[in-house]
Amino acid sequence: QVQLVESGGGLVQPGGSLSLSCAASGIIYTIYVMGWYRQAPGKDRELVATITNTGYTYYADSVKGRATISRDDAKNAVHLQMNSLKPEDTAVYYCRRSSSGRDYWGKGTLVTVSS
């Protein structure tokens, strides 16, 4: 069993930046994909960015050039840095870890982009 805990959400002004972190605990496998997803009110959950244990990254077109995902294997953590935030980035951001055929999700952290 793996537990994921997100942190770093909050209120950010348009054009601002935020940094989200996700820490994994429990039974940790070294081969994984970790990522960030988000769900805006009234919309489906969508992928934001992913990173593998080898460092391969993928970004959704909506955040490409504005987001950077990184990992800290020593702390079993993944981070998301987003810049030039827009009101449409407002959503609950969820951390996901996939390994050994299983998916684990965090409870989410709310990011609100508003003036």
Side-chain angles (χ1 to χ4, degrees):
Q1 193 73 8
V2 175
Q3 295 79 40
L4 301 175
V5 179
E6 302 100 335
S7 61
L11 176 64
V12 185
Q13 290 191 341
S17 300
L18 66 81
S19 181
L20 303 178
S21 294
C22 173
S25 61
I27 301 174
I28 303 298
Y29 295 98
T30 57
I31 299 175
Y32 63 83
V33 178
M34 288 192 74
W36 289 94
Y37 293 71
R38 66 187 182 186
Q39 187 166 19
K43 295 189 176 181
D44 294 334
R45 191 173 297 188
E46 64 177 8
L47 181 148
V48 177
T50 61
I51 187 166
T52 70
N53 57 288
T54 59
Y56 178 81
T57 58
Y58 174 85
Y59 296 94
D61 288 342
S62 59
V63 302
K64 200 170 291 183
R66 301 189 296 124
T68 302
I69 189 169
S70 61
R71 73 192 199 280
D72 183 345
D73 288 338
K75 297 182 179 180
N76 296 317
V78 65
H79 309 287
L80 181 70
Q81 175 74 32
M82 285 189 65
N83 303 315
S84 303
L85 286 164
K86 308 172 184 179
E88 51 263 43
D89 293 317
T90 295
V92 177
Y93 284 69
Y94 296 91
C95 177
R96 176 186 181 185
R97 183 179 176 103
S98 301
S99 60
S100 298
R102 295 188 176 185
D103 288 333
Y104 302 93
W105 291 88
K107 294 183 178 181
T109 184
L110 177 63
V111 173
T112 303
V113 183
S114 175
S115 56

